[in-house]
């Protein structure tokens, strides 16, 4: 009931407009990738991109479930930035490639939490996030797992639902993404099987997972470490 999986299954969707908008209010050029658009703000800066959306969802769950001590992400340079230090009144300041914590007015309010995320989005990405997750096999896929290719550029999508066929044992999953430029988080269609879309069948995946705007290797599935 209180799991990350249950939280992801109940994400709000837009019912009045299924258009993906960019952070600046313009429409995304490709409007054929999304099945549904999540009703979650994207901000007014080009920051909440692919890995950022994954971190946003994970952090929002931990914040809403009062597990703020677990909110922690690494910068691309490997430095850990925990929300607990941020909320206790410190701000991470870059001096060269080093991080120095300076006194600030940061606190545990939701407004401060959103500022923390903007800071993380500015200095983290697929390269850093991929190193924080542990690899899992596709057959063991669970809600909350992440398909991720760390790099410059890389990409990441997160699994928001999984269903298992009681007779065959086959698993189907649903994924959401943001992308570049920063844009509304949206449920992806399955371009390989329009009849099953937006679900993806594990049994149909051999070596690669084809999504509308990125192809992942089947072994690029990872999981958050609690």
């Amino acid at each position: 009931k209180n799991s990350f999986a249950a939280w992801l299954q109940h994400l709000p969707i837009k019912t009045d407009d299924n258009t993906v908008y960019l952070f600046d209010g313009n429409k995304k050029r490709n409007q054929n990738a999304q099945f549904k658009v999540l009703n979650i703000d994207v901000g007014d800066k080009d920051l909440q991109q692919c890995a950022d959306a994954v971190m946003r969802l994970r952090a929002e769950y931990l914040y809403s479930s009062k597990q703020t001590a677990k909110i922690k992400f690494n910068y691309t340079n490997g430095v850990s930035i925990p929300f607990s230090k941020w909320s206790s009144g410190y701000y991470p300041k870059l001096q060269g490639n080093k991080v120095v914590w300076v006194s600030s007015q940061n606190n545990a309010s939701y407004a401060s939490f959103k500022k923390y995320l903007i800071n993380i989005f500015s200095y983290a990405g697929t390269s850093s996030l991929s190193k924080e997750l542990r690899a899992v096999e596709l057959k063991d896929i669970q809600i909350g797992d992440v398909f991720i290719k760390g790099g410059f550029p890389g990409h990441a999508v997160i699994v928001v639902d999984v269903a298992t066929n009681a007779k065959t044992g086959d698993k189907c999953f649903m994924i959401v993404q943001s992308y570049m430029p920063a844009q509304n988080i949206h449920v992806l269609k399955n371009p390989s099987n329009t009849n099953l879309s937006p679900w993806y069948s594990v049994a149909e995946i051999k070596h690669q997972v084809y999504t509308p705007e990125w192809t992942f290797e089947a072994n690029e599935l990872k999981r958050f470490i609690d």
Side-chain angles (χ1 to χ4, degrees):
K1 181 179 179 180
N2 298 313
S3 68
F4 186 35
W7 188 86
L8 289 171
Q9 285 179 316
H10 291 85
L11 289 171
I13 61 171
K14 291 188 176 182
T15 57
D16 57 338
D17 186 1
N18 203 45
T19 304
V20 173
Y21 292 93
L22 304 180
F23 69 97
D24 58 7
N26 291 319
K27 292 182 179 180
K28 181 181 178 180
R29 181 173 299 178
N30 177 18
Q31 292 291 332
N32 296 314
Q34 73 271 20
F35 175 74
K36 290 291 181 182
V37 178
L38 299 189
N39 192 12
I40 297 174
D41 67 284
V42 66
D44 58 3
K45 299 179 177 64
D46 189 12
L47 290 176
Q48 191 171 283
Q49 300 180 3
C50 56
D52 309 304
V54 172
M55 293 186 286
R56 167 84 187 274
L57 294 176
R58 178 65 176 177
E60 288 278 7
Y61 160 69
L62 292 173
Y63 188 91
S64 64
S65 60
K66 304 186 187 310
Q67 300 181 69
T68 54
K70 294 182 179 180
I71 301 175
K72 174 180 68 68
F73 299 102
N74 296 342
Y75 282 174
T76 299
N77 65 4
V79 175
S80 177
I81 308 296
F83 179 64
S84 58
K85 191 160 187 174
W86 173 286
S87 61
S88 64
Y90 291 91
Y91 182 86
K93 184 177 180 180
L94 278 174
Q95 292 186 352
N97 197 39
K98 294 183 178 180
V99 173
V100 177
W101 290 88
V102 297
S103 180
S104 78
Q105 299 298 313
N106 293 336
N107 53 57
S109 70
Y110 186 72
S112 181
F113 165 72
K114 290 292 290 292
K115 290 180 181 178
Y116 165 82
L117 289 178
I118 290 173
N119 179 274
I120 292 296
F121 298 165
S122 301
Y123 299 108
T126 56
S127 179
S128 57
L129 182 61
S130 64
K131 297 171 186 174
E132 297 179 48
L133 310 177
R134 66 178 179 89
V136 292
E137 293 188 36
L138 185 59
K139 66 179 180 63
D140 299 321
I141 192 169
Q142 294 179 6
I143 304 171
D145 287 349
V146 180
F147 286 100
I148 185 166
K149 172 67 175 179
F152 306 94
H155 193 41
V157 301
I158 185 168
V159 179
V160 294
D161 209 354
V162 173
T164 303
N165 186 310
K167 293 183 179 179
T168 67
D170 180 31
K171 291 183 178 180
C172 290
F173 59 90
M174 193 182 297
I175 50 181
V176 304
Q177 72 163 18
S178 179
Y179 207 42
M180 298 181 292
Q183 58 197 250
N184 293 129
I185 305 173
H186 49 280
V187 179
L188 287 170
K189 294 178 180 176
N190 179 354
S192 299
N193 189 333
T194 56
N195 291 325
L196 191 63
S197 181
W199 296 91
Y200 290 70
S201 169
V202 170
E204 294 179 1
I205 297 171
K206 302 306 178 185
H207 304 291
Q208 294 178 312
V209 182
Y210 300 98
T211 75
E213 296 177 306
W214 192 273
T215 298
F216 293 97
E217 298 300 320
N219 63 0
E220 290 180 331
L221 183 67
K222 295 193 173 185
R223 184 172 297 164
F224 282 100
I225 302 172
D226 286 328

